[in-house]
Amino acid sequence: MADVEAILAPWIEARFPVTAGSETPPDLEKRLPFVRVERIGGSDERFTQRPRVAVDVFTTTADEGRHLSGDIRDALLLLLSGPVGGGVVQSIRCDSGPSAQPWAGDTVRRRGATYTVTLRAT
């Protein structure tokens, strides 16, 4: 089966000036902007997966986070399709658009969105 986190994080890194991964690093404040891609549910069938994915954007300002999370949403919906990193992306649906999310501390801003990705292994 294809690993949605291993597909989306490098794809986002290749298109935006960010670091991306499935876990927030302990030195997050030094690695901003950072994008966390994490599977939070969804279904797996015999040949097709429909994982639900949280994409969290961490930045230093609310404006930067709003713009970057919107640009990532647009790219995922409009550009990501076909063979990518060990899988074939058939479709992406935005279930909950980017919105402000709580995060501890005053130096980091977080905006989160959720997507359902339909994919299969290559």
Side-chain angles (χ1 to χ4, degrees), residues 83-100:
V84 180
V88 177
V89 175
Q90 296 173 320
S91 67
I92 298 182
R93 180 183 75 217
C94 183
D95 299 317
S96 178
S99 62

Side-chain angles (χ1 to χ4, degrees), residues 2-9 12 21-22 35-43 49-56 72 76 80 91-97 112-119:
D3 181 347
V4 71
E5 294 170 354
I7 290 171
L8 293 185
I12 290 169
S22 60
V35 178
R36 180 177 61 194
V37 177
E38 182 178 25
R39 182 176 179 159
I40 57 171
S43 65
Q49 299 175 57
R50 289 181 181 81
R52 188 156 191 223
V53 180
V55 176
D56 293 313
I72 290 172
L76 289 171
L80 182 55
S91 67
I92 298 182
R93 180 183 75 217
C94 183
D95 299 317
S96 178
T114 58
Y115 301 87
T116 299
V117 181
T118 302
L119 67 115

Side-chain angles (χ1 to χ4, degrees), residues 17-115:
V18 301
T19 303
S22 60
E23 297 181 22
T24 51
D27 60 344
L28 176 63
E29 294 84 7
K30 296 176 183 176
R31 300 179 74 184
L32 299 175
F34 183 84
V35 178
R36 180 177 61 194
V37 177
E38 182 178 25
R39 182 176 179 159
I40 57 171
S43 65
D44 291 337
E45 298 167 10
R46 185 172 180 184
F47 297 110
T48 303
Q49 299 175 57
R50 289 181 181 81
R52 188 156 191 223
V53 180
V55 176
D56 293 313
V57 174
F58 298 90
T59 58
T60 56
T61 68
D63 282 343
E64 180 186 18
R66 187 171 38 257
H67 293 294
L68 182 56
S69 61
D71 290 346
I72 290 172
R73 178 202 53 221
D74 293 345
L76 289 171
L77 295 176
L78 299 172
L79 302 176
L80 182 55
S81 177
V84 180
V88 177
V89 175
Q90 296 173 320
S91 67
I92 298 182
R93 180 183 75 217
C94 183
D95 299 317
S96 178
S99 62
Q101 302 292 315
W103 191 256
D106 297 331
T107 60
V108 176
R109 301 292 181 258
R110 174 181 165 212
R111 291 189 72 83
T114 58
Y115 301 87

